[in-house]
Amino acid sequence: MAKVALIGASGAVGSRLLKELSDRGHTVTGIARNPEKIAALPGVTARKGDVFDKEGLAKLIRGHDVVISAVHFVDSDPDMLIAAVRASGVKRYLIVGGAGSLEVAPGKRLVDTPEFPAIYKPEAQKGADFLDKLKTVEDLDWTFLSPSAMFVPGERTGKFRLGKDTLLASDKGSSISFEDYAIVMADEIEKPSHIRQRFTVGY
């Protein structure tokens, strides 16, 4: 079992990751600005942390096997997060990515298509920038897991497809539930197979 530090443990995605990891018997330090909002689950310790406090964050995640970042890109700074992980000495770093940087055609990203909703563009662009930055990082074993276009609450079905840099879609569109996404992230912790890579999950 792994000792996991989960930044953003009270959020929509973070809370599903927290439950999946707890259910699998991992020990999780859930980190959030408001730790009282972190679910009380077996093996979970809630801690107060600020994504803009590099030293404080590094101290909280030191001693863990894995760090997961499950925070909005517009509400955080990739340089600060990467610096905090480096300062902590933890090598394994997983990021809840975005769909915007996935390709819909060779060389054409989802965020650059005319249909992409303007309201989501700032978040998508910052996520793409974060991925570009990670690609230059060689001293951390990072993984950037991009969801499909519709990333929403749903069921834990355990049925999904994995891809690399191309948006996954079917005749029902492009989607993945938070719950099934959490399965894939937990699997990657238990059996690392995308070191210094981005990959994606969808139905």
Side-chain angles (χ1 to χ4, degrees), residues 109-166:
R109 303 179 307 174
L110 179 64
V111 69
D112 299 325
T113 60
E115 306 81 23
F116 195 86
I119 191 170
Y120 298 127
K121 268 205 166 162
E123 176 73 8
Q125 190 57 60
K126 279 204 76 175
D129 293 346
F130 197 161
L131 178 58
D132 286 342
K133 198 172 291 286
L134 283 169
K135 287 175 179 176
T136 70
V137 173
E138 297 179 354
D139 58 334
L140 297 175
D141 292 336
W142 60 267
T143 299
F144 190 95
L145 176 54
S146 286
S148 289
M150 291 294 293
F151 191 27
V152 291
E155 292 181 37
R156 186 187 187 281
T157 70
K159 296 174 183 175
F160 43 76
R161 294 181 293 149
L162 300 181
K164 185 152 175 47
D165 292 308
T166 304

Side-chain angles (χ1 to χ4, degrees), residues 17-90:
L17 289 168
L18 191 74
K19 182 175 185 340
E20 183 70 28
L21 292 167
S22 170
D23 287 350
R24 295 190 187 202
H26 296 288
T27 302
V28 188
T29 299
I31 300 167
R33 278 176 303 190
N34 300 297
E36 67 277 5
K37 293 181 179 178
I38 296 172
L41 295 167
V44 171
T45 303
R47 301 293 300 274
K48 182 179 177 64
D50 184 340
V51 292
F52 293 106
D53 175 9
K54 188 188 89 170
E55 298 305 324
L57 204 54
K59 195 173 178 182
L60 283 174
I61 60 185
R62 191 168 290 130
H64 290 80
D65 303 311
V66 180
V67 180
I68 302 176
S69 175
V71 293
H72 288 294
F73 299 119
V74 292
D75 296 331
S76 58
D77 176 358
D79 290 317
M80 191 79 74
L81 287 167
I82 291 167
V85 176
R86 278 182 170 139
S88 75
V90 180

Side-chain angles (χ1 to χ4, degrees), residues 17 68 94-96 145 181-190:
L17 289 168
I68 302 176
L94 292 92
I95 299 94
V96 174
L145 176 54
Y181 179 96
I183 294 175
V184 178
M185 185 70 94
D187 286 349
E188 181 64 24
I189 287 171
E190 294 171 357

